[in-house]
């Protein structure tokens, strides 16, 4: 059984309440339940933090053990050299995901410190972005 983890960065704990016109009205807990029911053949873990260093610690912790990491570093995507370096330092492949199409939004969201170190990038498909990332690890 593949061991995968979804790691969500800052403000993603507010999914369902936060700018629903951009991020939708489903909470991540609701979404995760649906996904776990659908992908019973995946050992799927979940972690969320609003704190940059905690996200880095989690990448270190799982990055030599898990088969895949699905990372939405949220706003830190655009600012964090530390998260970019952590992805470089670990062995587990990382897929970068975003709910929104960051390239259709403000200029500062076009820059990513995650992308150059990621196996691939999936964005703009709403919460389905996470599901597509799971599928890519299963193929
Ligand atoms: C996001 C896009 C980021 O620019 C933003 O800061 C987020 C969410 C997304 O999933 O669309 O918090 O990563």
């Amino acid at each position: 059984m593949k061991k995968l983890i979804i790691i969500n960065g800052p403000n993603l704990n507010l999914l369902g309440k936060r700018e629903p016109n951009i991020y939708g009205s489903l909470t991540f807990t609701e979404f995760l339940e649906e996904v776990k029911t659908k992908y019973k053949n995946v050992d799927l873990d979940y972690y969320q933090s609003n704190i940059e260093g905690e996200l880095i610690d989690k990448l270190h912790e799982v990055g030599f053990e898990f088969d895949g990491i699905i990372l939405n570093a949220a706003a830190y995507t655009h600012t964090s050299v530390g998260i970019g370096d952590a992805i470089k330092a670990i062995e587990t492949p990382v897929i970068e995901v975003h709910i929104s199409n960051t390239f259709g939004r403000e200029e500062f969201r076009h820059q990513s410190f995650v992308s150059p170190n990621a196996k691939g990038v999936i964005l703009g498909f709403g919460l389905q972005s996470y599901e597509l990332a799971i599928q890519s690890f299963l193929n």
Side-chain angles (χ1 to χ4, degrees), residues 24-39:
S25 49
L26 207 63
T27 68
F28 204 79
T29 314
E30 288 166 336
F31 171 72
L32 205 58
E33 266 173 42
E34 281 177 18
V35 168
K36 282 189 171 173
T37 313
K38 201 161 162 187
Y39 296 91

Side-chain angles (χ1 to χ4, degrees), residues 8-12 15 18-19 22-23 72-78 97-102 105-106 108-109 123-124 126 130:
N8 270 344
N11 303 306
L12 292 172
L15 281 178
R18 171 194 184 199
E19 300 180 271
I22 299 175
Y23 299 113
N72 186 348
Y76 291 141
T77 306
H78 318 300
V97 304
H98 298 284
I99 298 163
S100 63
N101 176 359
T102 46
R105 301 179 64 192
E106 302 95 321
F108 67 85
R109 296 186 204 275
L123 56 89
Y130 292 93

